[in-house]
Amino acid sequence: MGAHTVVLELLQIPYEKNSDVRMHELMRLAHQFLQMFCLGNSSNQVLLHKSLDLFLNPGLLEAQTAGAIFKDNVSLCNEVTERVIQHFVHCIETHGRCVQYLKFLQTVVKSESTYVRKCQDMVMAELVNVGEEVLLFYNDKTSFQTLVQLMRSERNRVDENSPLNYHINLVQLLACNTEGKNVYTEIKCHSLLPLDDIVRVVTHQDCLPEVKNAYINFLNHCYVDTEVEMKEIYTSNHMWTLFENFLVDMALICDKRHCRDIYSFEKVCNATHDRKHADTILENYVTLTVMNIITTFFNSPFSDQSTTVQTRQPVFVRLLQGAFRVSHCDWLSGNQKFGVETCIKTLSEIAKSRGIAIPVDLDSQVNLLFSQSNLVRKHTRFWLSAGKGKRESVFAVSKDYKSIIEGLQDIVLLLEDQLRPLVQAELSVLVDVLHRPDALFPPNTEARRNCESGGFICRLIKHTERLLEDKEEPLCIKVLQTIREMMTVDIDYGEKGEILRQHLLTRYYGKAHPRLKPGKAHVEKKTPAHSTDPGSVVLSRVALTLAQVQCHLDAQGASELVVDLINNNYSSKVFLEATELGIALLEGGNSTIQRSLYMRLTSDNNNPEKFFKVFFDRMQQAQAEIKATVSVNTADSLTGKKKDDDHKESPQKEKAKKEKANGAVISSEMKGELEEAAVETGKALAFVRRSHSSHEEDASAPHGLSVEDIMVDKIHQKDKDEKKMAPEIAMMQPILRFLQLLCENHNRDLQNHLRNQNNKTNYNLVCETLQFLDCICGSTTGGLGLLGLYINENNVGLINQTLQTLTEYCQGPCHENQNSIATHESNGIDIIIALILNDINPLGKQRMDLVLELKDNASKLLLAIMESRHDSENAERILFNMSPNQLVDVAKKAFYQDDEDEEDDDEVEDGASPKDVGHNIYILAHQLSQHNQYLAGLLKVRGVAETPGNMALEYYAKHTAQIEIVRQDRTMEQIVFPIPEICEYLTEETKTRMFLSAERDDQGSKVSAFFDQHDDMFAEMQWQKKLRASPALFWFSSHMSLWSSISFNFAVLINLIVAFFYPFNHNVQEIDPRLSGLVWTTLFVSLAIVITVPRPSGIRTFIASAILRLIFSVGLEPTLGLLGMLNVINKIVFVVSLMGNRGTFTKRLRHILADWEFIYNVAYLSVCLLGIFVHEFFYSLLLLDVVYREETLLNVIKSVTRNGRSIILTAVLAVILIYLFSIVGFVFFKDDFLVEVDLMGSIAPKDAVQAAAAAMTGTAGMLGASMAVNKGKGTEQCVDKSCGVNDTEKTIEDLATKPPSEEDEEDSKERSCDSLIMCIVTSLNEGLRNGGGIGDVLRKPSSKEPLFVARVVYDLLFFFIIIIIVLNLIFGVIIDTFADLRSEKQQKEEILKNTCFICGLERSAFDNKTVSFEDHIRSEHNMWHYLYFIVLVKVKDPTEFTGPESYVYGLVKERNLDWFPRMRAMSLAADDAEGEQNELRNLQVQLETTNRLVQILSQQLTELKDQMAEQRKQKQRIGLLNTPSLPAVMNHGPM
């Protein structure tokens, strides 16, 4: 309706203020309307704030309306300018001391229970500047008497416009200015109102409760609850003087006439029977202000250092007694009761901690007060008392009901949390509809086709900006939130929520659309090792991956929308939602979105730098806000220990609050408690309505929430609100996250673009981010040494985000960004180093997990600054400000911090463990040690390894690996990384098998075979990790070699028994007692040896003696059966162990059948079963296991099978040649093929002889045994030695020596070449088996026969061609193959011993080098370190990759081995470079020497030249003097 505009126009009408009474009344009503117009309505307050200048007039009405505009509106209070403050302070100075002006100032310095630091500073500065005209204090004796007279004259009623009321409001204003631990205002107020004056005023007998309340409130905020210790408070007697005065006031509000003895505490105290005449101001003063200052004083960390409590024990006990009496007053409201009981609890705890003696009955009553059942009973009774008494006014009735409503508010909120999943499920349906809008329309319609092509989403995105143009900001924000929710990972709404969703979707679509299994996406997100890309998380509601949804929205213009909204910078809310939408689009480092944003930012011809200017300005605003509102949390540092103890005392309560803050689903226990609380609350409300029933009869003890719990939650929420960051600062977290995601996956283009946009005006967001870190950590205020005091639980998340963003700027690497951060003029590097080295207290005492996360991110940032650099500049800059000793100590401390956490907490907490953080710091120290020899020495384990420091260093060194990789530009780079935990599960058998069996490729490298097996080895690690969960199966699997040896020993024993005793005698025969005793003795002695000294020889002796004892006791067949069953059981155990080690249980059938070792052992088990159930001779096949067990025998077999094709072809040639010889023999020598045979009829007598011999021999043996037995018994039945034995021998001899007849010889030969096939068979059979060839079995021809020569040639050719040439060819191939295998084995051993597995360099390459070959293969090119690094990039979240890890990860996916070094090592390159440097230095020295010699020679030549010139001159002078022409002239004078 715009009514306020009409009223504002009315206020602008001029009138005569002194004479126009009616106009004055209109103006009063107008101001009253405007005050009611903006009461509790922030939107209307904003409207009137635009016309604030109308109210900057000296009038009181204007001051009241201005106060209504700013009342309880923090955002408007933060916009108050210094001009507004100056105006109202000037009004006080020029127009009189009016309370309305002070109330306006009180309104702007504290709004919604939140202090506004900026306004506090401005108000305090203006008050001090104005001086005594405004600051009315009664400090001297004369003015103090004036104050006493004012209090006496207005004892019953205080006039609003009186000087006393002005003074009270002025003190209250000062208290508001000092609230929130504002050091600046506290110092100013100390000089304005000293402690002596406060005590003098408060303890005066005529002091009013209003004055006391103002003064004590000021004392609390200015002297007690302060940032800096006020020693005067804790060392002087002023506070105890006030405490004694408090006791008087406590007694005033309690009616002693109606109370029983002070120690009975059974009757409720009441100040006045008639509550209508009660002094409520005094009651509020005692129950709220007094109790608050007592609690604050004794909770202060500075109070713990004071010893005055012990000397003032009587006053302390009286305080506790007085507070306890007040707690039993039945007129206490909820807030009052909470304040009183908090004070009682504090005093009780101080008494226990200081050892102050408290009366026993008082102590027991205090303990009873805080028992849960008593609390519930009392508060139920308190609620019921709301309707018991007669209400005299509507205000009193509403106040009672208000107390009940306040007690039920949190219960309602918790019940709402219980229903939140259903609400979220209902709201999520809109997102499903946006994913599939085409399903809303019939098939084959234009609307459906448009929706299928993305037209609906495209129009929705375009419509968003139009909404802003139409000033529909809330609707625009809602649309942005909905678009962002389309990319959220699926939430589990519970069974009821899913049913509701399906019901609504069915109503929309006409059919159900079930989702995939809930939580699947979460599992994939938590285990990135199983996902190929961060965006591969499946959104079940649309059956697409996150990356696909992001790309779909990008194609419809979502990324364009983000850029436009940020460029236009409409408002903070829209900017925040646009940034959040950008974060959702970039989540997981979507390269498609990054490319779209980069193309838009680089191709924007219309003010391209505007996008970055917006972020730059936001960073600047945040830094300015931090500088304006920075506070040092020294009090928390001292109270940290106490808070930490409280935190440990109530972990369940903290957990519940955390779940509530995170919006998590409430646990089942909490749900049960809420249901019970709801039931009991319903009962209480019913009792209130009845209001006449007796409350004590129904005072059961429900398990609901008490008023104390509700009030504690409110106080905690209030503290959180007070510590909450300003919106400008909180805005930085999504901004930095957005910038981080822009550079995710090491996007080099955007990394450089954030630093330099190549425009007229560049905005370096990299340096600005570092500057923000510098600012938020307090360096700009000179507080680098007090780092922990600037970091608290509220801003630690923002600091972590800043560190992560800076890390993403540098990784890749981006050398330009690294240099920008390292060389920046701010204290950024110092801050990062301080985060690692310093103890960040008090946060570390309360939330060590947050501190560890901070140190972890800081160490990663320093590693990123040094990443992939071949120079030492940045490392030297870091070392310049870092103490090596302190760095190593921090890593050691983190190692033992993990052990302390394990002892203290059984539950596993999320986040980085202290040991992992210490490991990262150790890696940082390792990288820096390459540039600092002293630090390198500190990292070495010296002395005893079991010492605490050495244990930490040894652990870190053991779990740290180092490799060298080749980058794209063919330069080598060293990588140091932590070994993943899963790598510990790789078995030594696999390592040995891989090391020995890896074959070299065509280039002589084993890396290819090694890389091909990395998937199998990684699968084995995963299986072995699962195997540890089954201890029994793991124990069997870890002793696989033992079961194999036992099986082979069983096979040998069984075959020995079969060989010696088959066929078995079914009768059990007794043996000689002496032999039996020997067996028993051997059995027990070997058993004793096995028990005492378990060695293989003793075990074998024990088993052999036990088997002998079994044979003689139960017989051969039972013993053999027992051994066979034991062998079967052992082999089953071995097969199970093999399956456990190989992970056969999880493989498919085709993979199992392809496992040759598994098939072999199953066949072995089958043979064992055949030996038990079919025949004992099957056991003989088990001995062939020796071929499988021994490598030498395997080589023997390989010597035949390796060149099997050559051998087979040679054998085929031999068969062809024999076939040709058979044809020749069949044609020409058919009659000579006479082969001696033994006919069945002719061998019958021999069989009879053999049978008779066997029978006689058996009889003789039995007789001999019988004789031996009888001889042992002392009897002898056969004395004659020839009684049967000699006759048998004679008969056998006669039969054996009887010569055959000629007929028998003729009958024993037959023709074997009557047919060609018989001729071929005879040639193959007899020709190959006889050493002389076929001639040895043919008829011996006579030399007179015509074919004698042909026969000789035939025999010789067969012998030379078949026997000597062909067969020796076969034997030669076998022997040469065996020799080759032996030489290959030796060569392989030589290669394994003297060649690097990774790079292929030989041992000789490291001769006379700084690094030995052993150090090279152990540290630089350890083959298992390369496997561990491959595993690391598989198990690590791809968004957390460093630059080298991303590079290797991409090549591993492509199965590209170019990153492995070939015939290269950095140590050799360094040595070569050093050698070249030495040569250059030698040449330089020689050159300098030559230069000096040349200079000397030049100087000498110059000197020589000068000497020669001088000599020449002298000679000339001498020659001139000695010239003969002068005498000649003289001689030829005038005649």
Side-chain angles (χ1 to χ4, degrees), residues 1020-1283:
E1020 180 181 346
M1021 295 177 193
Q1022 293 175 314
W1023 169 250
Q1024 288 291 332
K1025 185 176 182 180
K1026 295 179 181 177
L1027 189 63
R1028 297 300 194 276
S1030 177
L1033 183 59
F1034 171 67
W1035 185 86
F1036 282 115
S1037 301
S1038 59
H1039 294 79
M1040 194 169 64
S1041 58
L1042 175 64
W1043 314 132
S1044 178
S1045 300
I1046 292 174
S1047 294
F1048 182 72
N1049 290 326
F1050 270 132
V1052 172
L1053 289 173
I1054 290 172
N1055 280 282
L1056 286 175
I1057 294 173
V1058 173
F1060 280 103
F1061 299 105
Y1062 191 86
F1064 304 126
N1065 188 3
H1066 298 283
N1067 297 324
V1068 180
Q1069 299 179 356
E1070 296 184 3
I1071 61 173
D1072 191 344
R1074 288 174 293 183
L1075 180 59
S1076 177
L1078 179 62
V1079 173
W1080 280 112
T1081 302
T1082 306
L1083 179 65
F1084 287 117
V1085 170
S1086 59
L1087 178 61
I1089 294 174
V1090 169
I1091 295 174
T1092 56
V1093 186
R1095 294 182 178 177
S1097 58
I1099 296 174
R1100 291 191 182 96
T1101 305
F1102 172 73
I1103 293 174
S1105 57
I1107 291 174
L1108 285 175
R1109 184 65 262 172
L1110 285 173
I1111 291 174
F1112 294 128
S1113 298
V1114 298
L1116 287 170
E1117 285 189 299
T1119 301
L1120 188 64
L1122 177 61
L1123 292 176
M1125 290 302 299
L1126 290 176
N1127 193 21
V1128 169
I1129 294 173
N1130 180 75
K1131 199 61 186 178
I1132 292 174
V1133 171
F1134 176 82
V1135 172
V1136 172
S1137 302
L1138 178 67
M1139 297 172 69
N1141 259 333
R1142 297 291 181 84
T1144 311
F1145 301 103
T1146 60
K1147 294 181 179 178
R1148 296 181 180 179
L1149 181 61
R1150 59 188 181 89
H1151 293 103
I1152 295 175
L1153 296 178
D1155 189 350
W1156 165 249
E1157 187 175 359
F1158 175 74
I1159 297 300
Y1160 169 78
N1161 286 282
V1162 170
Y1164 189 102
L1165 179 61
S1166 302
V1167 172
C1168 294
L1169 295 174
L1170 290 175
I1172 294 176
F1173 297 108
V1174 180
H1175 200 277
E1176 292 82 358
F1177 287 167
F1178 281 102
Y1179 286 127
S1180 61
L1181 298 176
L1182 301 180
L1183 295 177
L1184 295 177
D1185 186 47
V1186 70
V1187 179
Y1188 187 77
R1189 293 170 58 86
E1190 295 295 332
E1191 186 179 1
T1192 303
L1193 294 178
L1194 282 175
N1195 288 335
V1196 172
I1197 301 300
K1198 288 180 181 178
S1199 65
V1200 179
T1201 58
R1202 185 172 184 179
N1203 288 327
R1205 187 172 183 273
S1206 300
I1207 296 174
I1208 291 174
L1209 291 176
T1210 307
V1212 170
L1213 176 62
V1215 171
I1216 294 172
L1217 293 175
I1218 292 174
Y1219 174 65
L1220 297 177
F1221 277 102
S1222 299
I1223 292 175
V1224 173
F1226 179 76
V1227 174
F1228 297 102
F1229 308 111
K1230 182 187 300 185
D1231 296 332
D1232 292 343
F1233 279 81
L1234 298 176
V1235 181
E1236 185 177 355
V1237 296
D1238 295 330
L1239 301 175
M1240 292 299 293
S1242 61
I1243 67 172
K1246 297 181 181 179
D1247 291 341
V1249 172
Q1250 293 175 359
M1256 293 178 182
T1257 303
T1259 304
M1262 292 176 64
L1263 289 173
S1266 177
M1267 288 173 62
V1269 172
N1270 293 331
K1271 184 176 181 181
K1273 295 179 181 179
T1275 61
E1276 188 173 334
Q1277 297 179 0
C1278 185
V1279 181
D1280 190 0
K1281 295 181 180 181
S1282 61
C1283 60

Side-chain angles (χ1 to χ4, degrees), residues 635-654:
D636 290 344
S637 66
L638 296 172
T639 59
K641 182 177 179 181
K642 185 171 182 180
K643 291 182 179 179
D644 190 30
D645 295 338
D646 296 339
H647 177 72
K648 291 181 179 178
E649 290 176 1
S650 59
Q652 296 177 353
K653 194 170 185 180
E654 288 292 328

Side-chain angles (χ1 to χ4, degrees), residues 751 754-755 764-770 806 809 817 820-821:
Q751 283 176 333
L754 289 178
R755 186 190 70 260
N764 191 339
L765 297 184
V766 176
C767 292
E768 198 62 29
T769 305
L770 183 66
L806 288 170
Y809 289 160
N817 287 351
S820 297
I821 294 174

Side-chain angles (χ1 to χ4, degrees), residues 443-658:
N444 300 324
T445 59
E446 185 67 22
R448 189 182 184 96
R449 286 192 292 269
N450 291 336
C451 292
E452 289 176 349
S453 61
F456 181 80
I457 296 297
C458 182
R459 291 196 176 187
L460 179 64
I461 292 173
K462 291 180 180 179
H463 185 65
T464 306
E465 284 192 79
R466 193 173 302 168
L467 289 174
L468 287 175
E469 295 173 359
D470 296 339
K471 298 182 180 181
E472 294 287 346
E473 183 176 308
L475 184 56
C476 174
I477 292 175
K478 183 61 179 176
V479 173
L480 292 174
Q481 291 174 347
T482 306
I483 296 175
R484 175 159 51 89
E485 288 174 2
M486 294 177 66
M487 294 172 284
T488 55
V489 179
D490 300 317
I491 302 173
D492 186 9
Y493 302 106
E495 184 179 357
K496 294 182 179 179
E498 286 297 327
I499 294 175
L500 177 61
R501 278 175 44 80
Q502 293 302 326
H503 176 69
L504 294 174
L505 289 174
T506 303
R507 293 180 60 183
Y508 278 112
Y509 293 133
K511 59 180 180 179
H513 289 266
R515 296 200 300 174
L516 298 176
K517 291 183 179 180
K520 179 178 179 181
H522 295 284
V523 174
E524 293 179 358
K525 188 174 182 179
K526 291 180 181 179
T527 57
H530 300 87
S531 61
T532 57
D533 191 83
S536 61
V537 180
V538 178
L539 305 182
S540 60
R541 65 177 60 184
V542 70
L544 295 174
T545 63
L546 175 61
Q548 290 174 332
V549 175
Q550 290 170 339
C551 293
H552 172 67
L553 292 175
D554 175 62
Q556 306 306 321
S559 58
E560 296 279 343
L561 175 64
V562 171
V563 176
D564 291 337
L565 292 178
I566 293 176
N567 282 340
N568 294 326
N569 198 12
Y570 290 101
S571 66
S572 296
K573 292 182 180 180
V574 175
F575 175 81
L576 177 61
E577 289 301 329
T579 308
E580 293 286 355
L581 178 59
I583 292 172
L585 287 169
L586 290 166
E587 192 66 47
N590 193 313
S591 58
T592 303
I593 310 298
Q594 289 176 338
R595 194 182 312 110
S596 298
L597 291 173
Y598 179 71
M599 295 301 295
R600 169 63 192 275
L601 295 175
T602 54
S603 62
D604 193 353
N605 297 323
N606 185 16
N607 201 1
E609 70 275 4
K610 188 175 181 180
F611 181 83
F612 299 94
K613 183 180 184 301
V614 173
F615 288 108
F616 188 85
D617 293 341
R618 294 279 180 177
M619 291 184 179
Q620 292 283 352
Q621 293 173 11
Q623 294 178 47
E625 185 65 24
I626 291 173
K627 294 175 183 178
T629 61
V630 67
S631 63
V632 185
N633 200 4
T634 54
D636 290 344
S637 66
L638 296 172
T639 59
K641 182 177 179 181
K642 185 171 182 180
K643 291 182 179 179
D644 190 30
D645 295 338
D646 296 339
H647 177 72
K648 291 181 179 178
E649 290 176 1
S650 59
Q652 296 177 353
K653 194 170 185 180
E654 288 292 328
K655 184 177 180 182
K657 291 178 182 177
K658 183 184 286 187

